[in-house]
């Protein structure tokens, strides 16, 4: 690499870079010919030159995945040199850079779990690229292995909190397999924690995700039920729970509404579009059937005279509203049970329809129309129920509706909390805006003092 290019990279001089490109158009392309190269992007990342590094990423995106002779990518170097804002800018430019494996198979996510890592960056890595949790080192270690070996309780809290909250098609599999993954020596994270006599807080976290040893033992088996319950119930409010960062949110304990939202959302994400369409058709059929039962089961309503139930005709011409082989008490019992089942099914299916409808404008419109069918159902309940049983029928319906409504509200509250898992890298750090402004000012000053402002002349 030429001295002028090296100086431009170290100083973050974008104008000097383009002057070199004008002199030699292939000056950057030559770095791609080598399998390992210390590119200008590596130099800028090491020195924390954010504006210059992003300019280089725009020109040569391949530099972001290239390793130097020491086995480090530009994001690795930015992490090792403590340039957190630049790391976030790399993450925003290409979230898959967090999966680039360097020396020893270590990804930036793995570096975030070491003693020199940053839990805020770790949380952003997981939010931006969830599948990075699957990456292993050359020693078959997961990020959880590295956190436990490095005695990083805060990193382990972020990883465990993320595993319990992430909504992804593979989330159930991750939560089941990753805590029990064995490294090349056959050790799980619980094996390592027990052999290192780690603090009880670590064992508490591992108990929450049902981690097991290589022999299949859980924390409950190792410490005993009473002690584990004391550990789980003895934790108070953590000092970071009042913080607003993503890492602090992941380190907090999931609430009931979050767990409900995670469980439902994970199942929704596993449903294909074809299966979703079939489920909506079946749900619509059940809703229509429930409404048809209300409309036609007891046409004309019921009247009661001298303890005998009749349909809406007068007593002299009326025919029994129930089969002759059933007593009046049996008929009422059958009606009460069928009403309970019909009303409950109608409310639950309407809730399922609300969950299955797609997001966006049309899904929102259809959800707003669901109360219309509910109002029609209530109207026909009032019209078709036997005298004296209208209140019971409406009470059953409203009870079922309230339960479904409360479940839906709880799910919505949990969904709102889970939105914090969205990557915070969309917000451009202020340091980048500042340096970009400074670079623009330097360019304008240089252009004003130049004897030949037009390089093409």
């Amino acid at each position: 690499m030429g001295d002028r290019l090296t100086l431009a990279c170290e100083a973050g001089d974008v104008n000097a870079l383009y002057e070199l490109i004008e002199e030699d158009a292939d000056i950057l392309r030559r770095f791609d010919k080598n399998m390992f190269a210390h590119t200008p992007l590596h130099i800028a990342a090491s020195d924390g030159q954010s504006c210059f590094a992003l300019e280089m990423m725009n020109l040569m995106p391949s530099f972001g995945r290239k390793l130097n002779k020491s086995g480090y990518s530009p994001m690795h170097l930015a992490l090792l040199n403590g340039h957190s804002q630049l790391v976030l800018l790399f993450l925003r430019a290409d979230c898959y850079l967090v999966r680039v494996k360097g020396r020893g198979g270590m990804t930036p996510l793995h570096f975030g779990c070491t003693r020199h890592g940053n839990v805020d960056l770790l949380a952003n890595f997981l939010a931006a690229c969830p599948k990075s949790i699957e990456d292993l080192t050359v020693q078959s270690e997961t990020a959880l292995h590295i956190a436990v070996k490095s005695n990083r309780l805060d990193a382990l809290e972020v990883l465990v909190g993320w595993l319990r909250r992430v909504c992804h098609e593979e989330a159930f599999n991750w939560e089941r397999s990753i805590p029990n993954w064995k490294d090349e020596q056959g050790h799980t994270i619980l094996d390592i924690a027990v052999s290192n006599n780690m603090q009880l807080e670590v064992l508490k976290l591992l108990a929450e995700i049902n981690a097991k040893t290589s022999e299949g033992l859980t924390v409950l088996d190792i410490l005993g039920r009473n002690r584990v319950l004391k550990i789980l119930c003895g934790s108070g409010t953590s000092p970071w729970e009042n913080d607003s960062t993503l890492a602090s949110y992941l380190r907090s304990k999931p609430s009931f509404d979050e767990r409900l939202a995670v469980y439902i959302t994970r199942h929704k994400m596993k449903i294909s579009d074809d299966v979703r369409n079939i489920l909506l058709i079946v749900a619509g059929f059940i809703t229509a059937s429930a409404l048809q039962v209300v409309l036609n089961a007891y046409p004309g309503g019921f009247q009661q005279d001298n303890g005998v139930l009749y349909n809406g005709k007068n007593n002299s011409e009326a025919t029994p509203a129930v089969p002759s082989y059933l007593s009046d008490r049996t008929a009422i019992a059958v009606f009460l049970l069928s009403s309970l089942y019909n009303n409950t099914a109608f409310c639950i299916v309407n809730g399922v329809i609300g969950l299955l409808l797609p997001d966006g404008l049309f899904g929102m419109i259809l959800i707003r129309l669901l109360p219309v069918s509910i109002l029609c159902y209530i109207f026909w309940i009032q019209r078709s129920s036997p005298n004296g049983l209208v209140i019971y029928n409406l009470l059953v319906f409203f009870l079922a509706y309230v339960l479904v409504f409360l479940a839906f509200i709880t799910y919505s509250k949990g969904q709102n909390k889970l939105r914090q898992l969205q990557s915070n890298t969309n917000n451009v750090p202020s340091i980048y805006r500042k340096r970009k402004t400074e670079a623009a000012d330097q360019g304008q000053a240089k252009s004003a003092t130049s004897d030949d402002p037009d390089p093409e002349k």
Side-chain angles (χ1 to χ4, degrees):
M1 186 184 300
D3 293 338
R4 292 175 59 193
L5 182 56
T6 301
L7 292 174
C9 297
E10 293 175 348
D13 193 343
V14 176
N15 294 322
L17 170 65
Y18 279 98
E19 289 177 0
L20 292 171
I21 293 175
E22 288 177 2
E23 297 175 6
D24 184 0
D26 292 329
I27 190 172
L28 300 179
R29 194 188 304 275
R30 295 192 187 95
F31 291 97
D32 265 344
K33 296 180 181 180
N34 299 323
M35 185 174 181
F36 298 95
H38 198 64
T39 68
L41 185 58
H42 286 79
I43 299 176
S46 299
D47 294 337
Q49 298 293 345
S50 301
C51 186
F52 188 93
L54 288 186
E55 192 71 35
M56 190 61 64
M57 279 288 293
N58 290 332
L59 296 175
M60 299 295 292
S62 61
F63 285 179
R65 299 173 180 270
K66 187 172 288 293
L67 302 181
N68 62 12
K69 293 181 180 180
S70 299
Y72 296 122
S73 71
M75 183 177 279
H76 285 97
L77 294 176
L79 277 169
L80 292 174
N81 288 279
H83 304 306
S84 301
Q85 299 291 351
L86 180 54
V87 173
L88 291 178
L89 291 173
F90 279 142
L91 192 64
R92 182 188 178 191
D94 184 358
C95 65
Y96 290 102
L97 293 178
V98 76
R99 302 196 69 182
V100 175
K101 291 188 176 183
R103 189 178 220 165
M106 295 278 288
T107 67
L109 178 70
H110 294 142
F111 271 104
C113 300
T114 61
R115 295 183 180 181
H116 305 290
N118 184 317
V119 290
D120 292 316
L121 291 178
L122 177 62
N124 279 281
F125 290 159
L126 293 168
C129 187
K131 290 184 72 67
S132 62
I133 195 68
E134 299 176 347
D135 294 329
L136 304 174
T137 67
V138 294
Q139 297 180 352
S140 193
E141 296 171 322
T142 66
L144 278 79
H145 281 89
I146 297 174
V148 173
K149 289 182 177 180
S150 303
N151 199 21
R152 285 288 307 280
L153 176 61
D154 53 349
L156 186 62
E157 287 170 339
V158 170
L159 291 168
V160 170
W162 181 84
L163 279 174
R164 300 186 66 185
R165 290 180 172 93
V166 62
C167 296
H168 192 275
E169 295 175 358
E170 299 294 329
F172 283 120
N173 182 47
W174 291 341
E175 193 172 9
R176 181 178 60 256
S177 61
I178 291 180
N180 300 312
W181 185 267
K182 298 177 182 178
D183 60 17
E184 66 174 5
Q185 297 178 351
H187 296 155
T188 66
I189 54 176
L190 185 55
D191 287 324
I192 300 171
V194 172
S195 63
N196 293 344
N197 295 321
M198 302 195 72
Q199 53 186 315
L200 293 180
E201 287 294 326
V202 174
L203 298 180
K204 169 193 168 184
L205 288 172
L206 300 184
E208 291 177 358
I209 56 177
N210 197 29
K212 299 179 181 179
T213 65
S214 56
E215 298 176 352
L217 300 177
T218 63
V219 178
L220 185 66
D221 300 324
I222 296 173
L223 298 182
R225 181 180 298 274
N226 293 334
R227 189 175 181 186
V228 171
L229 291 177
K230 184 177 180 180
I231 293 173
L232 293 177
C233 298
S235 58
T237 302
S238 302
W240 58 81
E241 289 188 357
N242 295 325
D243 295 341
S244 58
T245 62
L246 179 59
S248 301
Y249 167 67
L250 291 177
R251 295 175 68 183
S252 63
K253 189 175 182 180
S255 58
F256 173 76
D257 52 359
E258 287 178 283
R259 295 197 298 269
L260 177 64
V262 167
Y263 184 80
I264 294 176
T265 305
R266 286 179 178 179
H267 281 287
K268 284 177 61 178
M269 297 182 74
K270 294 174 64 177
I271 299 175
S272 64
D273 291 339
D274 292 337
V275 174
R276 184 191 302 270
N277 294 335
I278 294 173
L279 290 175
L280 284 172
I281 292 173
V282 173
F285 174 76
I286 296 175
T287 302
S289 300
L291 186 58
Q292 194 71 11
V293 168
V294 174
L295 292 176
N296 298 329
Y298 305 101
F302 282 95
Q303 303 293 334
Q304 184 173 0
D305 187 20
N306 297 326
V308 180
L309 289 176
Y310 294 96
N311 61 11
K313 303 178 182 178
N314 56 44
N315 291 341
S316 60
E317 301 177 356
T319 57
V322 297
S324 57
Y325 57 84
L326 291 177
S327 65
D328 301 335
R329 183 174 298 178
T330 304
I332 294 175
V334 170
F335 173 81
L336 295 179
L337 292 176
S338 62
S339 173
L340 177 63
Y341 173 80
N342 198 66
N343 291 333
T344 304
F346 181 85
C347 293
I348 292 177
V349 170
N350 271 270
V352 171
I353 291 175
L355 292 175
L356 290 176
L357 287 174
D359 298 329
L361 176 62
F362 295 106
M364 183 184 65
I365 292 174
L366 292 176
I367 289 178
R368 296 296 187 271
L369 291 177
L370 284 179
V372 177
S373 66
I374 295 175
L375 291 176
C376 294
Y377 188 83
I378 294 174
F379 173 75
W380 285 108
I381 284 179
Q382 191 274 333
R383 290 288 303 273
S384 304
S385 298
N387 291 342
L389 296 179
V390 176
I391 296 178
Y392 165 81
N393 211 359
L394 290 176
L395 184 62
V396 170
F397 173 79
F398 281 117
L399 180 61
Y401 177 79
V402 167
L403 291 177
V404 173
F405 181 76
L406 289 177
F408 201 85
I409 291 297
T410 303
Y411 164 77
S412 299
K413 289 176 61 178
Q415 279 286 82
N416 290 333
K417 293 180 181 179
L418 292 176
R419 288 195 180 98
Q420 298 182 56
L421 282 178
Q422 296 176 357
S423 177
N424 294 337
T425 56
N426 289 332
N427 297 323
V428 181
S430 58
I431 184 174
Y432 169 61
R433 292 195 295 267
K434 180 180 179 181
R435 292 189 177 181
K436 190 172 183 180
T437 303
E438 291 176 352
D441 293 340
Q442 290 177 1
Q444 291 177 359
K446 190 171 184 179
S447 176
T449 57
S450 176
D451 295 332
D452 187 8
D454 191 352
E456 296 183 357
K457 290 183 180 181

